[in-house]
Amino acid sequence: MKISYPPRLNLAHTPTPLDLLPRLSKKLGIDLYIKRDDLTGAELTGNKVRKLEFVFADALAKGADTVLTCGAAQSNHCRATAVGAARLGLRCRLLLRTADLSNPPFPEGNLFLDRLMGAEIVWITPEEYRRRNEIFEREAATLRKQGRKPYVVPEGASNPLGAWGYIRAAEELAQDLSNLPGGKDRPTTIVHATGSGGTTAGLILGVRLCGINARVVGFNVCDDRDHFLRVIGEICESAIATYHLPLSFVRERDIEIVDGYVGRGYALSRPEELALLSEVARTEGIILEPVYTGKAFFGMIQELSRDPRTFGERIVFIHTGGIFGLLPRVQEIVPFLSND
Ligand SMILES: Cc1ncc(COP(=O)(O)O)c(C=O)c1O
């Protein structure tokens, strides 16, 4: 089916490779592939850049000169937005969450890159973050008064427009899978981390539009399954209505979220998660990070240890990037490095 995309800028290096993880595949007795969306770029690495290609195109079409978005202090999305804005000659204002406004985090990892890219940082409390739409309004009004033209990008660029990034990734995957043994008709499970829902929504829509024989399974790294059924359901329903996609969609049936692996909480790690991150690096030369990909991968391995066939015989794990979030966590990870 020919998919008709909204306008898009070329920011991501795509198509990204789909690679077999040979040693883990052997150990698990399945074919485990990894879609290297951590290779969408260097500073623009990860899943966000796929979404931002569509979102920035819209911002430019609307004559914006400043993009405004929000996230955690180590947000990959905010960093990708800051880099994208600098590439396009736009200004960027980030609403970043911190528990202590009087002592904001040291600029390292993603936050360092935000600053390097010249983003304007506004620190807000977790309570204000929950009211972020109000704060977006306040900041946008301030910018307008200064004669600037703000464009608000929601958390994680997870809206129907951003979801096109992963519809396009699914189209790429259809091509990747057709080159593998069994082709794209061999049952496949696409596993990934769910943080704000846009990646999962895009994959669900994209897999259906491209006719891939695949389950889309998200491991939530924050909140819970009910939250994501609502958020992802709204993105999918709104995308289907806005872009007249020829799909029917039922929240409870079409969204698969595996809950139970948030662990100690968003961006907090357990020793076993860090040990696995270190094992994946040693055995396959792949760098996961503790907040998203490390947690989802850990959840996937735990589910497979309970039932090796729970995701069928072919899995594609989407590596959604996030390497800069690893750097501020080095001290915590060092005890799990091993030369055994
Ligand atoms: C590295 C990484 N992986 C996965 C996700 C989750 O993607 P989404 O926000 O689209 O659910 C994010 C952001 O939240 C991320 O930064």
Side-chain angles (χ1 to χ4, degrees):
M1 187 188 129
K2 175 99 182 75
I3 300 174
S4 156
Y5 289 94
R8 178 180 71 84
L9 301 177
N10 239 325
L11 294 171
H13 292 268
T14 55
T16 57
L18 179 71
D19 294 334
L20 182 70
L21 297 180
R23 284 160 293 278
L24 285 174
S25 291
K26 195 162 171 218
K27 183 172 166 188
L28 296 164
I30 50 164
D31 290 339
L32 176 57
Y33 291 88
I34 189 159
K35 176 74 172 159
R36 297 292 306 270
D37 276 9
D38 55 324
L39 300 181
T40 48
E43 55 298 297
L44 271 172
T45 165
N47 59 339
K48 302 305 178 195
V49 57
R50 286 190 183 269
K51 304 175 184 191
L52 289 171
E53 290 195 318
F54 291 93
V55 171
F56 272 121
D58 190 47
L60 290 185
K62 295 199 161 112
D65 60 13
T66 305
V67 285
L68 190 55
T69 195
C70 67
Q74 281 300 330
S75 163
N76 295 302
H77 161 68
C78 288
R79 180 257 311 147
T81 306
V83 175
R87 287 270 178 92
L88 297 168
L90 299 172
R91 288 166 80 178
C92 175
R93 183 171 289 207
L94 302 175
L95 309 180
L96 298 183
R97 183 171 81 221
T98 184
D100 182 2
L101 292 182
S102 65
N103 186 22
F106 181 75
E108 56 187 346
N110 283 305
L111 180 56
F112 170 72
L113 294 179
D114 299 340
R115 298 277 303 275
L116 189 67
M117 296 293 148
E120 301 156 12
I121 313 276
V122 179
W123 291 104
I124 62 173
T125 64
E127 188 278 319
E128 286 175 309
Y129 196 86
R130 282 190 283 279
R131 297 185 283 115
R132 57 188 169 275
N133 288 342
E134 227 176 87
I135 314 281
F136 271 144
E137 268 314 304
R138 182 192 77 194
E139 289 297 316
T142 308
L143 291 170
R144 275 189 220 103
K145 264 192 218 135
Q146 295 166 359
R148 286 162 68 178
K149 295 196 178 107
Y151 180 98
V152 173
V153 181
E155 183 189 49
S158 284
N159 61 5
L161 184 59
W164 280 101
Y166 271 84
I167 295 178
R168 192 158 175 275
E171 192 169 25
E172 218 177 280
L173 255 180
Q175 187 58 46
D176 296 334
L177 294 174
S178 62
N179 295 329
L180 298 183
K184 79 173 179 152
D185 294 329
R186 184 177 174 207
T188 302
T189 302
I190 301 173
V191 173
H192 62 288
T194 299
S196 61
T199 302
T200 315
L203 286 169
I204 291 171
L205 299 171
V207 156
R208 309 263 218 89
L209 288 170
C210 299
I212 305 173
N213 184 9
R215 274 167 72 189
V216 173
V217 175
F219 282 79
N220 56 303
V221 301
C222 53
D223 299 294
D224 60 16
R225 181 173 174 273
D226 283 349
H227 169 81
F228 283 110
L229 287 190
R230 184 178 55 74
V231 169
I232 296 165
E234 280 169 11
I235 299 172
C236 289
E237 284 158 9
S238 170
I240 289 169
T242 310
Y243 303 107
H244 309 291
L245 304 178
L247 297 175
S248 67
F249 174 80
V250 181
R251 290 183 187 195
E252 286 285 341
R253 188 194 64 205
D254 296 323
I255 305 175
E256 255 196 272
I257 294 290
V258 182
D259 205 345
Y261 295 100
V262 177
R264 291 178 52 226
Y266 174 72
L268 300 174
S269 299
R270 294 180 285 180
E272 53 271 37
E273 295 164 13
L274 300 178
L276 179 67
L277 185 148
S278 155
E279 184 191 333
V280 172
R282 279 197 310 276
T283 50
E284 298 286 6
I286 295 286
I287 304 176
L288 303 175
E289 47 66 50
V291 185
Y292 298 95
T293 53
K295 268 198 184 158
F297 206 93
F298 177 80
M300 175 182 77
I301 297 292
Q302 289 296 110
E303 292 293 307
L304 288 171
S305 68
R306 267 187 228 157
D307 173 4
R309 288 288 172 273
T310 187
F311 299 128
E313 293 184 356
R314 183 163 78 182
I315 297 179
V316 171
F317 182 85
I318 314 263
H319 192 322
T320 42
I323 191 165
F324 298 115
L326 181 71
L327 303 180
R329 306 283 297 269
V330 164
Q331 277 200 339
E332 204 185 329
I333 299 170
V334 164
F336 299 95
L337 308 183
S338 141
N339 298 318
D340 298 343

